[in-house]
Amino acid sequence: MSFRTTPSVDYVEDVSPGSGALPPRAWYASSDAKSLSLNGSWRFRLSATADAEDDSFAAEGYDAGGWAEVTVPGHWVLQGDGAFGAPIYTNHLYPFPVDPPHVPTENPTGDHLRVFDLPSDWPADGGVVLRFDGVESCARVWLNGTDIGEFKGSRLPHEFAVGHLLKPAGNVLAVRVHQWSAGSYLEDQDQWWLPGIFRDVTLLHRPAGSVLDFFVHASYDHTTGEGTLRVESDVDGRVLVPALDIDVATGEPVTVGVLPWTAETPKLYDGELVTQGERVPLRIGFRTVALDDGLIKVNGEPVLFKGVNRHEWHPEKGRALDLETMREDVLLMKRHNINAVRTSHYPPHPAFLDLCDELGLWVIDECDLETHGFVEQDWRDNPVDDDRWTPALLDRAARMVERDKNHPSVVFWSLGNEAGTGRGLTAMAEWIHGRDSSRLVHYEGDWNCRDTDVYSRMYAFHDEVEKIGRRLDGGTGKRRELPFIQCEYAHAMGNGPGGLADYQQLFEKYDRLQGGFIWEWIDHGVKHPELGYAYGGDFGEELHDGNFVCDGLLFPDRRPSPGLVEYKKVVEPVRFEGDSTNSTVGTVRVTNRHDFADLSALAFEWSYQVDGETIEAGALNVPPLGPGESADVKLPEPSAQALGDESGWTVRALLAADTAWAAKGHVVAWGQFPVAARPLPSVPPTVRPVSGEGLITLGPATFDARTGAVNTIAGVLVEGLKLDVWRATTDNDDGAEWQTDTRYGALWRNLGLHRMHHRLETVEVGEDALTVRTRVAPAAREVGLSTVYRWTSDGDRLRLTVSVGPEGDWKLPLPRLGIRFQLAEADRVKWFGGGPGEAYPDTKRASMLDRWESSVDELQTPYVRPQENGARADVRWVELGGLRIEGDPEFWFTARRWTTEQLDAATHLTDLTPGETVWVNLDHGQHGIGSQSCGPGPLPQYHLRAESAEFSFVFSANEQSNSLIN
Ligand code: GAL
């Protein structure tokens, strides 16, 4: 008779942090003690409930030969081609009933099994620790049949003493992982729910007399230039720092002259902690973080955070990141002038912090805590205000602080994210302040700053930020004394974020504003065989928040989005300002906007462009300015060739030598200064329109005599040219559901701007012009746009002047205003204007005036959810499909192989199939972008108002392409 007992799974719903684990301590890699990685292929069995299977699989000799396999670290839902369930995405809603601490009976449970031998040189003496760096969300562990404990706290390490259980060969490590647990209530971050052993599993030999826990205190006194080092260690030993001639006992302070650590100058001293049984490498950065005079100061200087929020993400591996990916993140941040990272919303893999120490980033290390879903019930039963949960909260705080306390890059501890307020948070803050007085405490939910050392907010609009900067925001007495940061702002969902430069201007203007952290670093798109990248809802989730999970500055494959390029420009650490009073002999004002570094690492260049072509270039002599200093630097006299055409200067700051994060020549900052203005194209109307058989001919063009529609220009078929006001709404146009009165996406659709009717009034063949009068208006509405197309020619060239006059009471801005038409074919595009990437009125700081070339396909920006994209700003002329088009004034240029309607209807990039033709938009105006998907809409100055407008385009044969054809 076989007999099965239902194993007790009470621990799953127990609010306590767990049992059996060792106390938390610093995370380090020993120089000499052995370790064994247990990463790799594990046997795997998935059950639908927590108690479906008994624990016999944990016993030695169990035959798991019939089980599947998964890779550890990994999430089972991202493995097995769908056989192991699927990811679920919710922003703040719990995907299960809010009934704390209970979780659903349907609780996917993954049994993991790994049999291993100890390496032959594994020492027989000493102890052994088994470390899990991250398991979501609750695990129970057996080694060789012995239950060694269970734990929660997904993105935190848990260690177990296992030496007494190990044998040289055939060890059986069994780990039962439950997707849902009481811990899930504390882990309601806006991200995919991804169960699994997603960080490393390691066996660590602990020789007798080895290091246990230690705390490196390394401060810097900016008044003396000295650093003080004291290493507290649970096990006595010596601290060696050869470069500083330090050899002291643990616990002993020593003060010596040092170079300080900052994110800009990440000087690390290699050292060692030596105990009787072990040597542990130390990487020491001397720096002092303080709240001084109402400001966050490091080494005596106020810091301006140019930050990002980083979730761990890889499109195939989820949060199981490899070292290369972590390094790539840090390199990309450094190369884009980012100086800070908030580890939203949990401590990252510890190796990421090593990289921040080494390459230089300020870090807000955030605890693995969010209870946002309780907002749905007005925060009733919120675990952070319920004493029963406080031990779990304190456990999480301790596991973060103890693990990461030796990283100089960490300057703030954050209690968590969006967890309301409550006694548990206060207890965490008190514990952290007591344990580590050398860093500051952050938590955004605490608007009164009861527990925190900084006033932090998310998505405050520009006007409120300004008010805070001017100290007119009121608040508690304590808050009024504190500096301000935006721990999240500028929501980078889809096309955007707009308005970055306007925020940066405020941050730079008011001392109290110490910068912010863009939301967020990377789109969490999941690589998908049919959809390209999947987002919420693509796995049939019961509840989901769609593509709100794709709101990063990087696309899922880590290609920088235009938003990142814009951010790089907006926060560049060298500012160039032109002297507009003197148009030919230029002076450029160079300002060092670093907080710590001088400009000695940079080389400077100037170049002079005429009509977008560089005709002269050279090195610019800039003194090695200290932080905050400026100098007026004279530009050389431009040569005579410059006269008559549009001309201007470009200056650049580049790395003078290779650094750890970018190669020599990497452009850090740039500026452009016009000299001579562009001569506008002129076409004297010397040719008459001639009416023929169903056709009107005017210079190089033919028109339909009945409709006045242009048919061909210079022999090129031009179809369907007409006024266009619609764009495929962006995530920011659509706005977040909680924003009401300015969600233009829906308001525009409601007005009917996506289905305008074009009523032909007259086609007038005049003396020197063909004039077509129309009225463009949506069904069911009285508003309209009287639109006149006036065509003239000098025989070679054709000029179209479009005059638009709004009629009726227009209450809304327009998405865009311009013309669109179709070309039979076009591949290569050349233009003189802004580039290389897309730009919109409030996202165009990074748009550099130059001559650019691209294919039509490369003009597209691959937003995971397709939407308006790819406009190039300030275009003087463009050549494509056999035509050259000049603008009067400059225009926005867009070309794509599908219509705006197809783009608007697409939900994934794979919905867009290129047609045979190319659709071209030439716009006089574009509405701003803003960041209303979770923040402010475009500022008023970026609104495209429905006002009278007139703009012209001059069409001619693109000689270059004709000469290629001929
Ligand atoms: C914040 C939250 C983030 C994310 C963001 C919107 O409220 O802290 O986790 O949800 O909004 O993308």
Side-chain angles (χ1 to χ4, degrees):
M1 185 181 86
S2 78
F3 183 70
R4 274 173 59 123
T5 52
T6 306
S8 164
V9 289
D10 290 352
Y11 62 93
V12 171
E13 295 184 335
D14 183 351
V15 300
S16 84
S19 64
L22 292 165
R25 62 177 181 133
W27 197 98
Y28 56 85
S30 182
S31 299
D32 48 8
K34 299 249 176 261
S35 69
L36 175 66
S37 168
L38 297 177
N39 294 348
S41 186
W42 289 48
R43 288 288 176 182
F44 179 73
R45 172 182 66 185
L46 185 63
S47 309
T49 63
D51 61 358
E53 298 284 350
D54 64 16
D55 54 13
S56 56
F57 80 107
E60 292 174 76
Y62 181 87
D63 179 10
W67 288 21
E69 289 182 19
V70 289
T71 299
V72 170
H75 306 278
W76 70 71
V77 291
L78 296 182
Q79 303 187 48
D81 289 329
F84 306 144
I88 299 170
Y89 166 58
T90 56
N91 167 10
H92 76 278
L93 297 177
Y94 289 103
F96 47 79
V98 181
D99 179 21
H102 303 295
V103 294
T105 301
E106 301 78 33
N107 188 356
T109 291
D111 289 331
H112 296 68
L113 204 62
R114 166 92 200 237
V115 180
F116 64 93
D117 300 338
L118 292 177
S120 53
D121 59 351
W122 192 268
D125 63 337
V128 180
V129 165
L130 172 64
R131 182 173 68 204
F132 294 91
D133 283 314
V135 182
E136 179 167 330
S137 83
C138 169
R140 185 169 181 185
V141 188
W142 295 261
L143 183 61
N144 293 333
T146 302
D147 179 0
I148 59 172
E150 27 77 26
F151 62 91
K152 306 182 188 83
S154 299
R155 297 107 202 171
L156 293 162
H158 293 85
E159 292 183 321
F160 297 87
V162 295
H164 59 295
L165 298 172
L166 283 171
K167 46 191 192 179
N171 293 289
V172 179
L173 178 57
V175 187
R176 172 162 286 172
V177 182
H178 307 283
Q179 172 153 24
W180 309 121
S181 69
S184 305
Y185 284 97
L186 305 181
E187 296 173 6
D188 190 25
Q189 293 95 345
D190 174 4
Q191 58 179 347
W192 295 97
W193 298 88
L194 296 176
I197 306 175
F198 73 97
R199 286 186 190 157
D200 311 285
V201 183
T202 317
L203 211 56
L204 305 163
H205 180 241
R206 307 309 303 136
S210 61
V211 170
L212 200 53
D213 190 17
F214 63 95
F215 198 162
V216 176
H217 302 276
S219 59
Y220 179 72
D221 182 341
H222 65 280
T223 62
T224 62
E226 289 177 325
T228 298
L229 176 67
R230 184 173 58 87
V231 179
E232 272 176 65
S233 173
D234 286 359
V235 174
D236 289 344
R238 293 204 70 80
V239 178
L240 315 177
V241 188
L244 296 174
D245 262 341
I246 291 177
D247 179 352
V248 284
T250 51
E252 291 291 315
V254 51
T255 299
V256 289
V258 297
L259 293 173
W261 189 96
T262 73
E264 294 168 7
T265 56
K267 174 68 192 167
L268 291 174
Y269 290 93
D270 286 329
E272 248 187 336
L273 168 58
V274 183
T275 61
Q276 190 206 331
E278 186 177 22
R279 307 179 82 91
V280 171
L282 305 176
R283 296 202 310 171
I284 301 159
F286 290 89
R287 51 117 192 85
T288 293
V289 183
L291 202 56
D292 177 19
D293 225 1
L295 296 176
I296 303 155
K297 292 189 183 170
V298 180
N299 305 335
E301 292 298 329
V303 173
L304 188 61
F305 294 112
K306 302 162 180 176
V308 283
N309 281 278
R310 175 181 179 270
H311 266 292
E312 296 182 311
W313 188 251
H314 184 281
E316 284 157 278
K317 298 177 196 153
R319 289 188 284 276
L321 258 55
D322 54 78
L323 200 58
E324 269 324 293
T325 306
M326 295 183 224
R327 179 172 282 276
E328 199 182 339
D329 277 352
V330 177
L331 292 179
L332 280 166
M333 288 178 193
K334 293 291 289 185
R335 289 174 190 162
H336 289 88
N337 294 333
I338 287 165
N339 73 359
V341 58
R342 171 175 176 236
T343 70
S344 54
H345 299 299
Y346 40 80
H349 190 289
F352 179 75
L353 298 177
D354 286 340
L355 292 164
C356 295
D357 294 343
E358 177 187 317
L359 296 160
L361 286 170
W362 307 114
V363 176
I364 299 184
D365 195 356
E366 189 148 275
C367 196
D368 191 4
L369 173 63
E370 174 160 342
T371 64
H372 200 174
F374 285 87
V375 73
E376 293 291 311
Q377 55 199 60
D378 292 331
W379 297 106
R380 267 189 315 285
D381 299 330
N382 185 1
V384 309
D385 202 21
D386 177 338
D387 293 341
R388 287 172 297 180
W389 292 83
T390 304
L393 304 184
L394 290 172
D395 179 73
R396 284 168 188 251
R399 286 186 189 281
M400 168 180 72
V401 172
E402 301 302 359
R403 191 194 76 168
D404 297 341
K405 59 184 179 282
N406 295 326
H407 290 283
S409 55
V410 176
V411 291
F412 268 100
W413 300 116
S414 177
L415 304 181
N417 185 57
E418 296 187 313
T421 53
R423 301 187 297 271
L425 290 165
T426 302
M428 290 170 82
E430 279 171 1
W431 183 86
I432 294 173
H433 276 127
R435 175 68 178 135
D436 180 15
S437 58
S438 71
R439 292 178 174 97
L440 306 176
V441 169
H442 168 269
Y443 174 60
E444 188 272 345
D446 182 12
W447 287 22
N448 292 330
C449 302
R450 183 202 152 107
D451 301 321
T452 60
D453 303 314
V454 61
Y455 176 33
S456 172
R457 290 277 305 282
M458 48 174 75
Y459 310 107
F461 288 20
H462 297 77
D463 52 352
E464 192 189 1
V465 171
E466 170 136 46
K467 218 163 148 189
I468 296 169
R470 299 174 66 200
R471 300 182 183 278
L472 299 175
D473 59 308
T476 58
K478 180 173 174 209
R479 183 174 109 184
R480 293 202 299 273
E481 300 296 308
L482 292 180
F484 176 81
I485 61 170
Q486 285 244 68
C487 70
E488 293 178 27
Y489 80 112
H491 199 244
M493 184 179 183
N495 186 334
L500 278 177
D502 310 272
Y503 271 120
Q504 194 62 26
Q505 220 179 336
L506 296 170
F507 296 159
E508 291 176 9
K509 182 165 176 192
Y510 299 102
D511 289 349
R512 187 187 188 195
L513 309 179
Q514 293 199 263
F517 297 74
I518 303 268
W519 187 267
E520 65 174 308
W521 178 236
I522 184 169
D523 288 340
H524 310 207
V526 177
K527 188 122 175 93
H528 189 283
E530 284 93 46
L531 301 172
Y533 290 107
Y535 50 77
D538 289 336
F539 298 101
E541 301 105 292
E542 177 183 353
L543 288 176
H544 68 83
D545 288 288
N547 67 316
F548 205 62
V549 78
C550 291
D551 52 0
L553 295 174
L554 294 180
F555 295 112
D557 60 4
R558 286 190 156 68
R559 265 187 297 164
S561 80
L564 181 56
V565 179
E566 177 79 356
Y567 195 42
K568 173 184 177 184
K569 178 77 180 92
V570 164
V571 298
E572 60 190 11
V574 179
R575 181 77 32 92
F576 298 106
E577 285 151 312
D579 177 359
S580 55
T581 57
N582 193 339
S583 62
T584 45
V585 187
T587 304
V588 61
R589 166 157 282 232
V590 184
T591 305
N592 178 0
R593 296 207 53 87
H594 287 100
D595 294 324
F596 300 94
D598 66 22
L599 295 187
S600 57
L602 301 177
F604 294 81
E605 285 178 356
W606 63 270
S607 60
Y608 191 77
Q609 285 86 30
V610 175
D611 202 11
E613 298 224 75
T614 294
I615 55 165
E616 289 170 4
L620 191 65
N621 228 336
V622 176
L625 302 168
E629 290 178 358
S630 297
D632 289 327
V633 177
K634 194 117 169 42
L635 293 161
E637 191 100 21
S639 69
Q641 306 173 49
L643 299 174
D645 291 304
E646 179 173 13
S647 59
W649 299 101
T650 300
V651 287
R652 289 183 172 83
L654 327 105
L655 288 180
D658 290 351
T659 66
W661 48 270
K664 174 179 173 176
H666 165 84
V667 177
V668 170
W670 55 273
Q672 289 191 308
F673 312 102
V675 176
R678 165 179 177 241
L680 291 171
S682 102
V683 181
T686 52
V687 173
R688 281 170 162 248
V690 181
S691 298
E693 193 67 15
L695 281 184
I696 299 166
T697 310
L698 175 62
T702 60
F703 299 80
D704 182 303
R706 196 177 52 79
T707 63
V710 69
N711 284 341
T712 61
I713 302 175
V716 174
L717 267 179
V718 176
E719 278 183 83
L721 186 148
K722 59 184 179 186
L723 190 83
D724 193 7
V725 295
W726 185 245
R727 71 183 185 196
T729 55
T730 64
D731 293 316
N732 287 314
D733 289 337
D734 292 337
E737 62 197 18
W738 62 87
Q739 320 229 27
T740 46
D741 52 342
T742 54
R743 296 177 66 192
Y744 288 126
L747 295 171
W748 286 336
R749 264 178 236 276
N750 183 48
L751 185 61
L753 297 188
H754 59 312
R755 45 173 171 76
M756 297 292 264
H757 291 247
H758 295 249
R759 179 170 61 79
L760 179 62
E761 291 177 344
T762 58
V763 178
E764 298 160 18
V765 181
E767 282 292 303
D768 59 2
L770 169 67
T771 307
V772 180
R773 295 181 193 277
T774 67
R775 187 173 189 274
V776 182
R781 307 289 173 207
E782 64 170 352
V783 295
L785 300 167
S786 116
T787 304
V788 180
Y789 307 86
R790 188 163 189 275
W791 299 90
T792 55
S793 174
D794 65 359
D796 277 339
R797 303 194 295 163
L798 181 74
R799 181 183 186 107
L800 165 63
T801 300
V802 183
S803 313
V804 181
E807 294 175 348
D809 186 10
W810 279 89
K811 293 198 166 62
L812 298 179
L814 298 172
R816 67 163 8 119
L817 181 69
I819 56 166
R820 88 165 187 186
F821 54 88
Q822 208 182 157
L823 292 178
E825 61 185 296
D827 181 23
R828 298 307 299 173
V829 181
K830 278 191 189 176
W831 75 98
F832 173 31
E838 74 178 27
Y840 289 83
D842 53 349
T843 63
K844 72 194 264 287
R845 291 300 169 103
S847 175
M848 181 186 256
L849 186 61
D850 206 337
R851 289 196 186 200
W852 304 102
E853 243 191 284
S854 168
S855 67
V856 169
D857 291 335
E858 285 163 356
L859 290 174
Q860 317 307 311
T861 308
Y863 295 113
V864 173
R865 185 192 73 81
Q867 53 197 276
E868 166 64 28
N869 74 84
R872 300 314 194 261
D874 304 319
V875 176
R876 277 79 169 139
W877 54 254
V878 60
E879 293 172 351
L880 85 164
L883 292 177
R884 176 180 168 94
I885 307 163
E886 290 164 81
D888 174 8
E890 292 76 45
F891 58 97
W892 305 87
F893 164 72
T894 310
R896 44 176 79 104
R897 295 189 190 280
W898 36 77
T899 63
T900 296
E901 290 69 24
Q902 288 164 334
L903 183 63
D904 206 8
T907 63
H908 295 79
L909 284 167
T910 46
D911 293 339
L912 294 169
T913 12
E916 292 295 301
T917 58
V918 170
W919 292 88
V920 179
N921 275 87
L922 310 178
D923 289 311
H924 179 59
Q926 276 273 359
H927 186 62
I929 295 294
S931 64
Q932 220 192 346
S933 54
C934 191
L939 290 169
Q941 61 268 36
Y942 305 117
H943 282 219
L944 177 61
R945 295 201 171 72
E947 288 169 350
S948 296
E950 193 169 279
F951 47 93
S952 302
F953 303 103
V954 173
F955 297 85
S956 55
N958 172 13
E959 276 144 30
Q960 231 174 348
S961 86
N962 281 353
S963 64
L964 281 181
I965 295 165
N966 298 340

